[in-house]
Amino acid sequence: MGGASGPEPQYLVTAPGPVRYVEVTYRGEVIGCLWASVKYDAAGYVRRLEAEPPEAFRAPLVWSRRLRAAKAEGLPALEALRRWRGAPEDPEGGTVVADAPERDADSYDALKKQLNPGHVDPMADFFAQTPTWPDGTPIDRSKGWDPLSPMKIPETDYPASTDGPVRYLPVTRGDTLLGYLWASAADDAAYYVGRTDAGADGWNAGVPWVLRLRRAQREGLTPLQALRRWKGAPEDPRAGTIAVDAHEQEASSLDDLKRLAQR
């Protein structure tokens, strides 16, 4: 994982404009939708949050793997949408029945609202902000001209730096090593470090992990408890997962972990 070959090809996880979608069912119940952009090479799966079967929680992992395979085979997004029509029902991912109609939504966000009316995306506040660099400079250069620096992931209530050793776990998506979730072994610090060779995928995975750390801190978890909380959780299409058998390791310092992430 995380070798010189770089991250595997995959469809964009969102795109502007209309999307086409088909319903994914499990034993006759709609558990989500498989979608593809009409104009761009973007595709994904949206879970119906009210779906009752426990399989609904694991379906995103199944469809994420299938879409990565379709992209690796060179299929355009709309063809990937039709690839599994009529395939046998997967025990975790469900199926797209042979006669499932293709429908259009005005946008990816419109599809999410249609499938989950009234649901508030916990990441919406972050993405509604003007993207900035860590010093507060807007990425849109028409809004400011201070010196450039690396892009900012939202902060947590745990400090994002420490002078002591850190414990860490690998964050993966499929066979790709995205980065590391870490926690201080001596104080209250915890955060996420993306791997350089994971590119934008590694950085993007950091946003949901930081939001999870925010939640853990509000629930009163120590940094080390927060580090271990999501071990073995289902893989998220954006955040990835910490495998149930992932080995917790220790780096002598946060700088050492950052150097590891750059290899």
Side-chain angles (χ1 to χ4, degrees):
M1 292 187 295
S5 60
E8 61 185 319
Q10 55 189 300
Y11 301 109
L12 299 172
V13 297
T14 186
V19 299
R20 192 155 295 155
Y21 67 93
V22 291
E23 292 180 342
V24 176
T25 60
Y26 179 78
R27 296 182 179 177
E29 179 179 357
V30 176
I31 60 172
C33 287
L34 193 65
W35 65 270
S37 170
V38 174
K39 296 181 178 180
Y40 301 94
D41 198 33
Y45 175 85
V46 179
R47 183 166 69 90
R48 178 172 167 258
L49 300 178
E50 292 184 354
E52 292 295 336
E55 288 74 15
F57 294 94
R58 296 188 286 270
L61 173 59
V62 173
W63 290 104
S64 177
R65 288 173 174 168
R66 286 179 167 180
L67 287 171
R68 287 200 302 270
K71 178 63 176 178
E73 293 170 8
L75 292 183
L78 285 173
E79 289 188 27
L81 179 70
R82 301 158 184 147
R83 165 84 180 270
W84 292 275
R85 180 186 291 275
E89 185 170 86
D90 184 272
E92 294 186 340
T95 186
V96 176
V97 297
D99 59 352
E102 290 186 9
R103 298 187 173 97
D104 290 334
D106 291 339
S107 67
Y108 170 67
D109 286 338
L111 174 60
K112 290 195 297 182
K113 291 177 181 178
Q114 176 181 314
L115 197 60
N116 297 294
H119 174 68
V120 178
D121 186 344
M123 295 172 65
D125 289 343
F126 170 70
F127 287 108
Q129 301 171 13
T130 300
T132 64
W133 307 101
D135 60 4
T137 303
I139 293 174
D140 181 349
R141 307 311 291 156
S142 69
K143 301 181 184 297
W145 290 92
D146 291 338
L148 296 177
S149 54
M151 198 152 42
K152 179 170 72 174
I153 291 175
E155 297 178 354
T156 75
D157 293 323
Y158 298 117
S161 64
T162 180
D163 294 328
V166 297
R167 306 287 296 179
Y168 66 93
L169 285 165
V171 175
T172 58
R173 187 174 62 211
D175 294 329
T176 300
L177 178 57
L178 298 172
Y180 306 99
L181 192 68
W182 64 265
S184 170
D187 56 35
D188 291 333
Y191 207 61
Y192 168 88
V193 175
R195 281 194 61 87
T196 300
D197 60 6
D201 289 336
W203 184 87
N204 285 332
V207 177
W209 281 109
V210 167
L211 293 175
R212 285 176 174 178
L213 288 174
R214 282 182 178 175
R215 187 194 321 163
Q217 199 280 338
R218 288 196 297 267
E219 293 174 359
L221 299 185
T222 68
L224 287 175
Q225 288 173 329
L227 173 68
R228 299 158 185 157
R229 172 166 180 177
W230 288 278
K231 189 174 182 180
E235 182 178 282
D236 180 86
R238 180 172 185 176
T241 188
I242 295 174
V244 67
D245 58 351
H247 179 53
E248 184 177 312
Q249 300 182 69
E250 183 168 305
S252 60
S253 69
L254 179 56
D255 285 342
D256 281 349
L257 179 60
K258 289 179 178 179
R259 281 191 285 270
L260 173 65
Q262 293 172 359
R263 292 178 186 169

